[in-house]
Each structure stands twice: as structure tokens, then as C-alpha cells.
Amino acid sequence: MIMQTPRSETVQGSWEHFPHQADIGVRGIGPTKGAAFEQAGLALTAVITEPASVAPMEAVSMTCEAPDDELLLVDWLNALVYEMATRRMLFSRFTIRFSDHSLHATAWGEPIEITRHQPAVEVKGATYTELSVKQDGQGRWIAQCVVDV
Amino acid sequence: MDLNLLKRRGPDEWHIAPRGKMRVPGVIYATEDLIHDMDEKVYEQVTNVATLPGIVQASYAMPDAHWGYGFPIGGVAAFDPDLGGVVSAGGVGFDISCGVRLLRTGLTVEDLQLVKELLAEALFHRIPAGVGSTGKVHLDRYEMQAMLAGGARWAVGKGYGTHEDLEFIEEHGCMDDAKPEHVSDFAKKRQQDEMGTLGSGNHYLEVQQVVRLFDVETASVFGLRAGDVVVSIHCGSRGLGHQIGTEFLKSMVTTAARHHIELPDRELACAPINSEVGQEYLGAMRAAINCALANRQIVTHLVRQVFADIVPQASLSLLYDVSHNTCKVEEHVMDGIPTRLFVHRKGATRAFGPGHPDLPPSLRSVGQPVLIGGTMGTASYVLVGTKESMALAYGSACHGAGRSMSRHQALRQWHGRDVVKELATRGILIRSPSMRGIAEEAPGAYKDVSEVVDAADDASLARKVARLEPLVCVKG
């Protein structure tokens, strides 16, 4: 069930949240797997704050490795959770490149400002619940999972 | 949940007979109404847990059970290492040893009347809460190791609280056999500036009043009287626990096949207790329990400082500290034989009955205080462990109300400022850095905690002692 009209729809795709009783699901949709992963990153930011309020000023690079696409999505979101927590930053723009079982990402964002960003909740981690990375009948890539908050 | 899936064994006890790959039955303790409102996913998760290697007796769900990750939240299961039993990172969860502690203040509601506003402001400014907040305690490499090995005992050694506090914390404030060397540098880095912080989401610090006593005798042993002011602290192992959960979930998923474990759900990621990954996880998880105990101890110290400044006649003493998300080694009687089991409680608390040797001498005659957290607009409860509970689900009870509405639904239904205003008219002062966070945590987004507590009482998991209502709530 989709609870939210995507707030951001571009040629690169869209994101949305889906419900989980205690927590929240993030879903990225895009013409490529990379675009779907990037949109899932935006959906993650939107759990915390309005992505449009986050200026893409500083770049942070990340690399993840996992045996399959689904575990790679969880790793990617957990890498973002880690960078947000340790740098005390929020991110609003992403680029992703894949090679073999690896993902190389750059995330742009800015240090968190409580008054302006009004962060609702911190994400503890991405989970394997409702986890999937697949193409739908129209060829769109969909990357999703529930995140624990 | 469809009642036809279950067999009723008592007014509040429902059984799921083993089928398919289930090794033991499922048992849910709840009223008919609560069962009716439970998600079908709880049924699926209770039965999935029952398939794990080495599980004994049954896969249990408490009255507040709801859809979790692998295990239901409110799930309890024990594993025997001699039967190939497992330890599950999913069965403990991300917020390792998230828990609640309750402090008596020696004050009555009247004592706070003139200073309540001042107290709310001071607690809000002095206790770090919310996304991105950092504590005043910064740990270098050496102190991090000491904290992970020592827990609340380390914190007391550093001047945060008293030795008497330790007596009223599970494991006397320090989990043995913690192995900080199995905690990754990532987890340690995530924690280095987060000691003494509340976190966000459903975590809180509340000043509460005792509004009703159900069991005057036990309340007296607990030092609680109607009209008393108490303080509840609900938080966990912060970033360190989250990172350990994340990392071991992945390593248990990727090594499951090697251990010949078939996972019905990847979130049930587990490893044999007697395996390298299993032992490393146990060492790291115990270090995270110590982190949570140290964290609540530091927050307690900060709360005491605030009370000393504003109401100097206050004297804050610890009633008890319970943990929700843990795997602990306990001895339970199985077919008349004392057996060493690895008991997982996911969103469930210990509720040891009277006479249990792990209880402090002053509480041993009545049983363990069981602290059930509510919402900022309703109530919390103090219960006590029962003799019967030890045989029902290894001495366990529910931990809270559980959400009835998703965060997104709550956000559409309420505005944070309106929630704050409405609660202020009822004399409840809310302080938070995030109005969106308040809307997502609105009291209406949670189930009725009283119904859950009544079900726990009816099922004899724990017995009601006192009802507490909020006066001040600091939310992350």
C-alpha cells in the first residue's frame, strides 16, 4: 500500500514511504538500478526531514560491498545512516556507480541544524524487512526496505 | 489476527500447534480484543521463530506484540546450546538493551507546583535529546573499552551516581563476559560523543506522578505512595548498539548456510551459540548492554543535578532499571531439570518472581519491579513479577503499548504544536527539539497501554502495582 504521493519526481525517478506498524518503509523508483538506489537515499532523508531543506554543499564518498543487490541496498542505506550519525550531517543529492558486487557513492549534504531541519527521528538502521530490488513490468527499478527508527 | 488460527488454552492464553518446520508451539498471551487487533504478521513471526534450531518449550508473544523484524516486538524465545541452539541478532534488535529506569524523588506533586515550568526547561536544556545531539562525556579509546566492559559500574566509578544504584540494575549494572574487542571501530566511533544522550523516536525522560496504587503492600516495599513524584528514563545503547545490530545481522545472514540454518526470513539472522560468529556477537551484544546501562546511569546523574539545582530537597533513588532488547543466559527449570538457556527478549522485559536469587535482597520477597512505559499523554505502570510468570514465559512481561498508527499517518493527523498545547491544558509540559517528532509520537498514535497492562496482569505475567501519569516529558 502506498501512503504517500512521491514528493520528488524527476527524470531520474521518484521516492515514497510505505507503512510499517512501528517504523517506516523507504522505496526508490528509477529508470536504472542506480537511480532507484539514489531515490531510496532521498526517501531515507525524508524520514528525518524535508529533503528540500538540505543544501547539497559538502560531498562524502562511500563504498559498499555485498553478495547481492538486496544486501547491497541495505549496506548503502546503512552507510548513509553511519555518515549521518558520525558527521552529524543530512544528505539530499546522491550519485551511484556499480562495479561487480560493489557500490561507489557520493552524497552531498550539510551539517544538521536543529531549528531549520526540525529532524523528526534518527534512523537506527536499514532492515531486511520488505526488502527487495527488482524491475517492474514497465522496466522501472524499485529498491525498498523498512528502516528502524 | 484471525482467531481461528489459534486454540484458546485460558482466558488470556492462545496456542499455535506446531506445523511444517515449527519445532515448538507458539503461545500468545493477550485478551481476545488485543488478539483481534494484532497484525497477521505477528502470527507469521511467532511461527517463524518456532522453526529456529535449538528453541525450547515455545515461541512466546506478550500482550503488546506487534509486527517487528524477524521476531515480533514483544517476542520471547529461549535456546539450548546443547541442542544446537542459536543466538539471533534479529531476535535482539538494533536498539540493544533499550530500557526504562524509574527514580523516586522524595517529592510530592505539591512540591513541584511552583517550579514545574523551570524544571521542564532545565531538564530540556541539560539532557541532550534528539537527532544529532551529543553528550558532554567524550570517550577516548581507553575509556571506551572500560565503559564497554564495565557498564553502569564504570559510570559510577567516574562519579555518575552511587554504588547503591548498581544494586537495582539488572546484572548489578555490569554485564559479565562483554568483549569490547568484538565491537567494531565503526560502532565505537558512532558512540564516542553520544554518552549521556536520550536519542529520539519513542525515547523520553518523564517526570511523573503516582496517581493510583493497585497493590499497597508491594508499593510500600517499592517506596511508592499516591501523590509521589517519580522520574522515568527510557533510552538505550545509542549508535553503538545500532551499529552492532547492523553488522552482525549481515554476518549472520551471510553465514547461515554455512551453519546449515534455513532462515524463513532474513531478519531472523542467527548463528549457533557454539560458533565463532555466535560467540563474537554475544561478546559485542553484552558490551552494548553495558553501553546502555552506562548511558542511563549518566542521564540519571544529569537529572539529579537538575533536581539539586531546582528542588534541593529532592533525593533521587533508583527503584529499578529494566532492559527490553537482550539475549541473556538464565537458568530455567525444564521438565524438572534446571537448564542453562539463552533467553531472547525482543521488546519484552524480565519479570522475575519473588524469591529469585538475581533480585536485590530488599525486593526479593515481593518480586522484580516491571516498568511499562506509556505515551506522553497517557500513563505508565509499575508491575511486579509473579511466581507463575517464571513458568509462563521464563519470567517475562510486556514492555509498552506499541504503535497503532504509522508515523506517516500520525503526521497527517496531528501538528506537533497542537499536541503540545493540548497536553499543556492537562498540566503536562512537553519539551522537544522537533515539533514533527512530537506529531509522530502523539499519544493517539499508540495503543491503549492500560489494556495491555491489564492483559499482562490477567495472564499472571506480572501484577499491577501503580499507575503513573506524566507531568513533564522531554522527547528526543
Side-chain angles (χ1 to χ4, degrees):
Chain A
M1 180 173 56
I2 294 169
M3 287 291 296
Q4 180 171 337
T5 309
R7 294 194 196 165
S8 162
E9 190 150 8
T10 66
V11 283
Q12 282 82 34
S14 60
W15 61 263
E16 60 201 18
H17 291 156
F18 61 93
H20 176 274
Q21 198 171 6
D23 295 298
I24 196 160
V26 296
R27 180 181 290 140
I29 304 160
T32 63
K33 189 169 68 180
F37 273 51
E38 289 165 15
Q39 292 292 332
L42 268 178
L44 182 73
T45 298
V47 170
I48 305 158
T49 190
E50 176 58 51
S53 73
V54 181
M57 294 191 316
E58 287 175 41
V60 175
S61 297
M62 288 161 243
T63 299
C64 313
E65 213 179 291
D68 62 51
D69 283 347
E70 293 184 343
L71 293 182
L72 201 53
L73 175 69
V74 171
D75 268 18
W76 152 236
L77 295 176
N78 278 328
L80 274 177
V81 168
Y82 178 79
E83 296 298 340
M84 284 194 286
T86 52
R87 294 175 190 270
R88 295 188 159 73
M89 282 180 73
L90 293 165
F91 299 103
S92 59
R93 209 181 115 207
F94 311 97
T95 58
I96 287 178
R97 188 168 54 81
F98 294 97
S99 61
D100 297 326
H101 296 299
S102 302
L103 170 155
H104 309 276
T106 306
W108 283 267
E110 64 170 329
I112 194 162
E113 233 182 80
I114 303 296
T115 323
R116 187 159 54 86
H117 295 124
Q118 283 288 295
V121 71
E122 66 188 347
V123 178
K124 294 170 187 165
T127 78
Y128 301 129
T129 300
E130 303 286 302
L131 169 62
S132 79
V133 176
K134 63 183 179 198
Q135 277 185 287
D136 67 7
Q138 299 154 294
R140 298 182 311 169
W141 281 88
I142 297 166
Q144 67 167 51
C145 72
V146 170
V147 297
D148 191 1
V149 297
Chain B
M1 186 185 294
D2 182 359
L3 292 171
N4 294 319
L5 296 167
L6 312 168
K7 192 164 186 179
R8 197 171 198 162
R9 288 282 177 87
D12 299 293
E13 187 176 330
W14 307 76
H15 283 228
I16 304 166
R19 56 168 178 77
K21 292 180 176 168
M22 285 172 71
R23 298 166 193 258
V24 292
V27 176
I28 305 175
Y29 295 105
T31 59
E32 191 167 333
D33 284 348
L34 284 169
I35 293 269
H36 199 263
D37 291 343
M38 265 179 205
D39 199 298
E40 298 292 337
K41 290 275 185 190
V42 174
Y43 176 88
E44 189 183 312
Q45 293 187 324
V46 167
T47 54
N48 281 345
V49 170
T51 69
L52 295 178
I55 186 168
V56 293
Q57 212 154 280
S59 162
Y60 296 99
M62 300 291 110
D64 56 340
H66 52 286
W67 180 21
Y69 305 106
F71 275 55
I73 296 164
V76 177
F79 299 85
D80 186 339
D82 295 334
L83 300 175
V86 293
V87 58
S88 169
V92 172
F94 287 93
D95 201 356
I96 299 168
S97 195
C98 170
V100 177
R101 60 167 53 187
L102 191 77
L103 300 152
R104 293 166 293 237
T105 65
L107 302 173
T108 64
V109 185
E110 287 73 38
D111 296 325
L112 279 197
Q113 241 157 22
L114 295 176
V115 294
K116 199 163 95 177
E117 191 91 31
L118 204 59
L119 185 68
E121 285 302 315
L123 289 169
F124 178 52
H125 285 110
R126 303 258 289 271
I127 285 109
V131 180
S133 58
T134 54
K136 288 211 166 66
V137 182
H138 305 284
L139 302 181
D140 61 20
R141 207 174 173 77
Y142 173 78
E143 285 298 342
M144 178 67 75
Q145 296 288 107
M147 180 277 286
L148 293 174
R153 199 180 293 163
W154 166 85
V156 168
K158 290 283 158 191
Y160 304 112
T162 67
H163 285 281
E164 200 201 358
D165 292 339
L166 299 175
E167 198 184 338
F168 299 97
I169 304 174
E170 287 182 19
E171 326 304 336
H172 306 287
C174 177
M175 191 76 205
D176 286 339
D177 295 325
K179 305 277 187 218
E181 63 271 28
H182 294 314
V183 176
S184 72
D185 287 343
F186 292 109
K188 288 171 183 164
K189 187 175 176 195
R190 214 167 145 179
Q191 190 60 28
Q192 63 189 9
D193 300 321
E194 289 195 355
M195 293 308 295
T197 62
L198 271 185
S200 65
N202 62 0
H203 294 157
Y204 60 78
L205 161 67
E206 274 188 3
V207 180
Q208 303 162 325
Q209 57 175 323
V210 179
V211 294
R212 190 174 166 196
L213 299 178
F214 303 96
D215 174 350
V216 177
E217 225 166 276
T218 305
S220 161
V221 175
F222 288 175
L224 299 175
R225 290 166 307 180
D228 278 359
V229 170
V230 294
V231 175
S232 267
I233 298 166
H234 177 210
C235 58
S237 51
R238 310 291 298 109
L240 183 122
H242 309 167
Q243 190 68 25
I244 289 171
T246 295
E247 291 169 5
F248 278 94
L249 210 57
K250 185 180 177 188
S251 59
M252 286 181 175
V253 161
T254 50
T255 57
R258 198 190 309 157
H259 295 125
H260 310 290
I261 296 172
E262 201 182 315
L263 296 175
D265 171 353
R266 275 179 294 197
E267 205 71 43
L268 279 174
C270 58
I273 291 159
N274 296 323
S275 70
E276 197 181 338
V277 180
Q279 287 299 311
E280 286 180 1
Y281 175 69
L282 284 166
M285 188 239 354
R286 288 167 182 154
I289 291 177
N290 281 335
C291 177
L293 300 180
N295 192 42
R296 289 198 285 277
Q297 191 63 34
I298 295 172
V299 172
T300 299
H301 176 73
L302 299 174
V303 171
R304 281 177 169 147
Q305 284 183 328
V306 170
F307 270 79
D309 286 351
I310 293 176
V311 255
Q313 71 271 35
S315 170
L316 275 63
S317 59
L318 184 57
L319 169 58
Y320 211 67
D321 179 303
V322 298
S323 291
H324 298 154
N325 301 335
T326 57
C327 171
K328 290 189 172 176
V329 181
E330 296 171 6
E331 195 173 273
H332 292 277
V333 179
M334 306 288 297
D335 300 324
I337 303 163
T339 310
R340 193 171 147 267
L341 299 174
F342 285 68
V343 182
H344 292 62
R345 293 185 181 88
K346 172 79 186 85
T349 69
R350 255 186 189 174
F352 284 171
H356 197 286
D358 286 358
L359 295 178
S362 60
L363 299 176
R364 204 169 288 158
S365 65
V366 290
Q368 182 209 305
V370 179
L371 312 172
I372 312 285
T375 73
M376 54 184 142
T378 52
S380 296
Y381 285 85
V382 179
L383 288 80
V384 65
T386 64
K387 264 214 152 45
E388 301 91 305
S389 174
M390 299 310 293
L392 291 174
Y394 313 110
S396 307
C398 51
H399 84 313
R403 293 187 77 91
S404 61
M405 194 184 280
S406 73
R407 290 182 172 274
H408 183 63
Q409 269 177 295
L411 203 52
R412 288 201 302 193
Q413 194 147 334
W414 292 286
H415 291 290
R417 282 183 209 291
D418 296 339
V419 174
V420 172
K421 267 189 210 159
E422 200 271 317
L423 291 172
T425 63
R426 292 168 43 199
I428 304 168
L429 304 180
I430 307 296
R431 296 291 183 273
S432 172
S434 170
M435 283 302 123
R436 177 175 156 182
I438 293 288
E440 293 188 6
E441 287 290 319
Y446 280 83
K447 285 185 218 154
D448 179 5
V449 68
S450 302
E451 199 182 345
V452 166
V453 164
D454 285 344
D457 187 305
D458 289 346
S460 297
L461 293 167
R463 206 176 60 248
K464 285 195 290 184
V465 175
R467 176 183 163 99
L468 318 171
E469 288 181 0
L471 296 165
V472 173
C473 176
V474 178
K475 287 291 282 186

